[in-house]
Amino acid sequence: VNQVANLTLVSSACDMVSTAYASAKESHPYIRSVYDAAEKGVKSVTEAAASCVQPVLTTLEPHVAAASEYASKGLDKLGEKLPLLQKPVEQIISDTKELVSSRVADAKGAVSS
């Protein structure tokens, strides 16, 4: 999970969502009260689930470690094959806009001629 969270694409997307969430929460009092209630509910459910799951996780720890190592190697390979994962969301959006704009210009040129 930490390795996925540290990917530039994922961390920049999380930052964007966090900023939008905070902005919406600050801008609208009604949304703030709904978000606050949802946050309290999620926190309670998470705490209850964590206490129930902990004994199972302790038993499965060697298997979880093996799966984690396998997933880590897979993410490394994925990162090599998809360099897009190392770019921030803003750059991907900008690159996509440029590509689409270029293709549209090419299509207009082909239709005109």
Side-chain angles (χ1 to χ4, degrees), residues 90-103:
E90 297 86 358
Q91 184 179 356
I92 294 169
I93 291 170
S94 174
D95 292 349
T96 302
K97 284 180 180 178
E98 286 178 26
L99 179 64
V100 169
S101 178
S102 171
R103 300 294 176 171

Side-chain angles (χ1 to χ4, degrees), residues 21-89:
Y21 179 85
S23 176
K25 193 172 176 180
E26 290 303 315
S27 301
H28 308 286
Y30 296 117
I31 290 177
R32 181 182 311 133
S33 62
V34 171
Y35 283 3
D36 287 343
E39 289 170 11
K40 288 177 187 172
V42 168
K43 184 177 179 183
S44 298
V45 169
T46 302
E47 289 170 352
S51 64
C52 293
V53 172
Q54 189 57 48
V56 175
L57 288 177
T58 303
T59 305
L60 295 175
E61 190 171 351
H63 304 293
V64 171
S68 179
E69 175 135 355
Y70 182 73
S72 179
K73 289 177 184 176
L75 280 170
D76 288 342
K77 287 184 180 181
L78 189 62
E80 291 169 10
K81 294 184 185 239
L82 291 174
L84 183 76
L85 295 173
Q86 303 305 326
K87 294 182 179 181
V89 172

